Amino acid sequence: MRIAVTGLGAVSGIGFGVSENIESLRTGRHGMGKPRFFQTTLDVPVSEVKATNTELAKRLNLNAERTYSRTALLGLMAAREAVADAGIDVSKKRVGFISSTSVGGMDLSEVFYNDFRTDHNRGRLRLVSQHDCGASTEFIANQLGISGFVTTISTACSSAGNAIMLGARMLQHNMLDAVVAGGTDALCKFTLNGFGSLMILDKEHCRPFDATRAGLNLGEGAGYIVLQRSEDAAHAPYCLLTGYANANDAYHQTGCSPEGNGAFGSMSAAMAVAGLQPSEIDYINVHGTATPNNDLSEATAIRRIFGDRVPPFSSVKAFIGHTLGASEGIEAVYSALSVKNGYVYPNLNFKSADEAIGLAPETEFAEGRRVRNVLSNAFGFGGNDTSLVFSRAD
Amino acid sequence: MKPVYITRTCQIANDQLVMDGVEAVLDYKEIIADPALRRRMSRIVKMGVACGLKCIEGLTPESIDAIITATGFGCLADTEKFIESIVANSERLLNPTPFIQSTFNTIGGQIALLRGIHSYNVTYAHRGLSFESALIDAAMQVNEGKKNVLLGAIDEITASSADIQRRLGMTREYELGEGANFFVLNATASGNKSAAVLDIDTRSGRLTDDKLIEWIVETANRNGIEISDLCIVANCNTATTDNIKKRLSLKNKPLQFKTCDYPTLSARALDFAINNSTANKTLIISDYQHINHSLILLGRG
């Protein structure tokens, strides 16, 4: 069975919609800046979607008087674009929606908590009723009119990769005919302070794979892809999803092993599912958060697989930040277009190679390259490592 | 999909450990030996990790092909602790432990870490269908040839969440509950109580008893089972159970299971059904807050 990618949708700090995102990647316009849309005293760059919740609601033709979690708004924007792009009839029973998020409606819960903490009878309930991860998923599914299988995955930063993988497997098992899969996450105090407490936020603009890299920048957004069996596609697909795998590093709750065992496991297994040799991978969209630990561990795993023939690779994290539960949703969209149009994305802010890594990423935007297969990585807390393989449909 | 067999069950609820339906000694010190690690763990993490570890006791790490967990609300105590520290310390000098442990996949990740299990590891967090989603994934994994798939569900009560859920009207029918339930799934039966999962179906939104009964009949028909032969485990309110009793002619009296409520209670209902129903075919009917519904059909191994 061939699984086709037939629809794409994305919103991030570098654009509303897929074409704005690609245009920013092409012209080197990143999304980093001081936090403007949520209250924090932390002075670190973040990649915010450049709109207030009210503006987002208006763009989505929602009643702007009502309360929505930002996670739900961002998710609806990207998922709606993906569904329209694929031209699928979502009213059919065997259309599924598989979403992921790492914090759900936390942006509202932390506002609720300010009143609630001193008196448990205080705090507006509408600010906390959307706290759970399933709330944004159900909201998006209802807005889209999807009434088939709906669920939410939450495995920290690899969440959306796992959502896409589940979608592909449900098509393989003939449990669904079409599935919208990806993830959404809004920035909030909770996650920014969480990564701050781990001391892995760079106060400067992050520099993936660079010798001077000193941590990550967070971002927000959403990305979804539509998957169908290729014979059911309404139009020529962007590409095929040929490989997927999740493996566990089982080394540390937040850090990654020096040998990159989990990353090695997920990349090798995803390529095995796709039936590909390392020489057939033409581009790797690396996880590349820009923490000293992640990039070294990921590079080590890549070397173990590709030896001295490492394909072109880059991290888009300096453009959009680490968007956590949304990251592989957005990056799957970029990867699909890499296969379709031969795009290779620039790894911003890379200047000097790290001797321990010994690899240099791509630094210029390219198009029309021969890209047969793209390997895309997403790694998360709990040693949770996911890799996807996107391949040419012809 | 081919049937999958549940070959082990393990439950921690009300400070009691129950393995394959038999009460056992719950000694956290023995299960999680590292005292520093144990101290750092919040109640839900300790309960979930211990339950998962007991469920795979004696199995080698290499023989476990997947760890799939489910939680409706995740690690609430850790989440609140971290939010509180953000407010109380004005975003300065925060202890990262509650943040790390607040992640929804903490329990699955910790089990993998403590036992060195490098296989597939995914967590579902989708309200009253979190466990059902995980069960569907687990059944697919077994059908894909995976062995010893560890499947678990965990939710906890905290004082704050209890107050919030009360204010939201979520405790009108039942008091809140909590617990951890883990299972090992395989393609073949083993052990004297192993049950086969034959069908899983889910619905969201309000469901009248009429529609529910129609759905039960459809499910039985699809699986070629006489309704009268079914043993029903009712993880729904007693009014619905009474209606089912009245409307369907059943040889076995339905077993009323629900006495409390939390998003992954259906996992405990599954444990109950496996270890208590003596019928050949058992149907677990679950209703979470009248918004999430599921039917899980079991056969004997």
Side-chain angles (χ1 to χ4, degrees):
Chain A
M1 183 190 298
R2 284 154 58 95
I3 295 177
V5 178
T6 60
L8 305 177
V11 54
S12 75
I14 60 170
F16 297 97
V18 174
S19 57
E20 273 189 40
N21 270 269
I22 296 298
E23 212 34 48
S24 295
L25 292 165
R26 186 196 299 277
T27 55
R29 193 173 64 229
H30 66 79
M32 297 299 166
K34 297 230 182 277
R36 280 164 52 198
F37 300 101
F38 71 105
Q39 294 295 315
T40 177
T41 57
L42 298 192
D43 185 22
V44 288
V46 290
S47 173
E48 287 178 300
V49 171
K50 310 294 183 284
T52 63
N53 283 12
T54 309
E55 286 161 0
L56 289 172
K58 281 186 186 153
R59 275 175 179 265
L60 289 161
N61 295 319
L62 295 171
N63 178 356
E65 303 289 304
R66 293 194 53 193
T67 305
Y68 310 95
S69 77
R70 195 166 169 87
T71 302
L73 293 170
L74 296 174
L76 177 58
M77 187 170 279
R80 196 180 263 176
E81 183 186 18
V83 165
D85 188 29
I88 50 168
D89 177 2
V90 293
S91 66
K92 290 198 174 140
K93 199 170 174 278
R94 282 166 44 104
V95 175
F97 182 59
I98 303 171
S99 190
S100 72
T101 178
S102 71
V103 287
M106 185 66 82
D107 59 319
L108 299 178
S109 306
E110 56 194 29
V111 177
F112 169 84
Y113 190 75
N114 285 331
D115 293 327
F116 178 81
R117 66 189 284 261
T118 48
D119 180 349
H120 281 200
N121 289 311
R122 293 186 57 207
R124 286 186 178 169
L125 289 173
R126 72 176 102 122
L127 293 172
V128 76
S129 59
Q130 301 171 57
H131 172 81
D132 68 295
C133 289
S136 54
T137 308
E138 287 286 343
F139 170 80
I140 298 163
N142 283 334
Q143 287 290 327
L144 296 175
I146 293 178
S147 59
F149 181 79
V150 174
T151 196
T152 313
I153 287 181
S154 192
T155 56
C157 312
S158 56
S159 300
N162 290 326
I164 291 169
M165 177 169 170
L166 178 72
R169 290 171 56 229
M170 290 188 79
L171 291 173
Q172 290 282 6
H173 284 266
N174 197 22
M175 295 165 83
L176 294 173
D177 293 329
V179 57
V180 185
T184 176
D185 252 331
L187 274 164
C188 59
K189 240 182 186 169
F190 187 85
T191 33
L192 192 67
N193 277 281
F195 284 86
S197 73
L198 287 162
M199 299 200 260
I200 52 174
L201 290 179
D202 194 337
K203 281 191 182 315
E204 309 295 325
H205 192 178
C206 70
R207 301 169 297 286
F209 285 86
D210 193 81
T212 67
R213 70 188 184 281
L216 55 83
N217 302 146
L218 288 180
E220 65 180 355
Y224 293 90
I225 64 175
V226 176
L227 300 174
Q228 294 174 271
R229 281 179 285 277
S230 57
E231 61 267 28
D232 298 336
H235 59 72
Y238 289 96
C239 61
L240 304 177
L241 176 66
T242 54
Y244 38 78
N246 171 276
N248 201 280
D249 202 30
Y251 174 75
H252 186 268
Q253 191 62 28
T254 56
C256 22
S257 62
E259 308 82 12
N261 286 332
F264 177 84
S266 68
M267 285 191 278
S268 314
M271 285 161 58
V273 169
L276 293 175
Q277 296 301 315
S279 60
E280 295 171 280
I281 302 291
D282 293 320
Y283 172 58
I284 310 173
N285 169 58
V286 293
H287 185 54
T289 57
T291 63
N293 183 221
N294 174 82
D295 293 5
L296 179 58
S297 173
E298 186 173 11
T300 305
I302 288 172
R303 281 178 169 286
R304 283 172 66 189
I305 295 170
F306 295 93
D308 53 9
R309 291 186 176 174
V310 173
F313 72 93
S314 60
S315 162
V316 295
K317 298 290 194 292
F319 278 98
I320 60 172
H322 187 358
T323 57
L324 309 175
S327 71
E328 190 55 32
I330 299 170
E331 294 179 34
V333 169
Y334 297 170
S335 297
L337 287 169
S338 169
V339 173
K340 174 150 192 291
N341 299 326
Y343 292 157
V344 165
Y345 305 109
N347 188 111
L348 278 191
N349 295 344
F350 176 83
K351 293 206 175 60
S352 50
D354 177 349
E355 264 180 42
I357 288 179
L359 296 173
E362 297 293 301
T363 54
E364 299 291 332
F365 183 89
E367 59 188 310
R369 288 237 194 128
R370 177 170 173 258
V371 179
R372 293 165 297 172
N373 304 288
V374 170
L375 181 63
S376 185
N377 287 337
F379 307 146
F381 280 6
N384 204 290
D385 296 337
T386 301
S387 299
L388 303 177
V389 179
F390 297 90
S391 305
R392 285 197 71 86
D394 49 19
Chain B
M1 220 161 25
K2 282 180 278 185
V4 297
Y5 294 87
I6 295 175
T7 51
R8 290 184 182 196
T9 70
C10 191
Q11 170 173 301
I12 295 180
N14 310 315
D15 289 321
Q16 283 180 324
L17 170 68
V18 182
M19 297 172 75
D20 294 323
V22 180
E23 203 178 315
V25 179
L26 175 58
D27 181 3
Y28 282 115
K29 285 199 283 298
E30 178 251 335
I31 309 170
I32 304 159
D34 179 349
L37 178 68
R38 203 170 56 240
R39 245 190 334 268
R40 278 200 303 275
M41 285 179 170
S42 62
R43 215 156 44 83
I44 187 175
V45 175
K46 204 158 73 173
M47 195 160 67
V49 170
C51 191
L53 290 176
K54 285 305 271 187
C55 200
I56 52 171
E57 202 172 44
L59 297 175
T60 62
E62 297 73 29
S63 71
I64 294 154
D65 286 341
I67 299 175
I68 303 170
T69 51
T71 177
F73 291 121
C75 305
L76 286 171
D78 289 302
T79 304
E80 183 174 354
K81 205 167 165 185
F82 195 66
I83 299 184
E84 174 58 33
S85 75
I86 292 173
V87 182
N89 300 342
S90 313
E91 303 188 74
R92 280 192 302 270
L93 300 170
L94 306 178
N95 169 13
T97 302
F99 173 68
I100 295 166
Q101 291 199 146
S102 75
T103 316
F104 288 79
N105 62 330
T106 298
I107 290 154
Q110 278 287 337
I111 294 168
L113 185 57
L114 288 167
R115 289 293 312 276
I117 300 165
H118 292 280
S119 55
Y120 181 85
N121 196 315
V122 163
T123 303
Y124 292 86
H126 193 76
R127 304 191 152 169
L129 298 178
S130 307
F131 176 66
E132 285 76 355
S133 302
L135 177 59
I136 289 168
D137 188 352
M140 284 198 292
Q141 290 286 349
V142 173
N143 272 265
E144 289 163 19
K146 303 289 167 55
K147 295 185 185 71
N148 291 330
V149 171
L150 179 66
L151 164 73
I154 328 92
D155 269 300
E156 70 175 336
I157 309 174
T158 65
S160 293
S161 91
D163 285 342
I164 293 168
Q165 292 189 59
R166 179 183 45 75
R167 285 175 60 195
L168 286 166
M170 292 167 75
T171 56
R172 254 177 246 139
E173 282 186 84
Y174 290 96
E175 285 304 313
L176 297 178
E178 63 172 16
N181 282 90
F182 276 77
F183 307 89
V184 174
L185 276 70
N186 276 293
T188 51
S190 76
N192 52 359
K193 277 191 171 171
S194 79
V197 178
L198 304 176
D199 202 340
I200 318 151
D201 203 3
T202 63
R203 302 235 170 131
S204 281
R206 285 250 160 206
L207 194 67
T208 60
D209 286 352
D210 282 357
K211 287 273 176 211
L212 173 65
I213 287 159
E214 250 175 58
W215 186 25
I216 295 169
V217 173
E218 268 169 41
T219 305
N221 289 345
R222 186 170 63 235
N223 288 279
I225 293 164
E226 291 289 330
I227 292 278
S228 58
D229 292 338
L230 279 179
C231 172
I232 283 175
V233 169
N235 181 25
C236 51
N237 69 21
T238 47
T240 299
T241 312
D242 289 342
N243 249 334
I244 292 168
K245 243 189 286 189
K246 236 179 281 167
R247 302 271 303 278
L248 297 173
S249 60
L250 303 162
K251 281 184 218 149
N252 305 299
K253 206 172 138 211
L255 303 172
Q256 178 65 33
F257 169 75
K258 187 170 217 163
T259 53
C260 65
D261 206 9
Y262 60 94
T264 54
L265 179 61
S266 51
R268 204 199 291 188
L270 177 61
D271 185 303
F272 174 84
I274 292 167
N275 293 304
N276 290 284
S277 167
T278 50
N280 271 327
K281 297 287 183 288
T282 303
L283 185 70
I284 306 164
I285 300 168
S286 293
D287 174 348
Y288 176 67
Q289 297 289 334
H290 305 301
I291 58 162
N292 296 130
H293 315 268
S294 71
L295 297 181
I296 300 174
L297 181 65
L298 295 180
R300 277 285 152 208

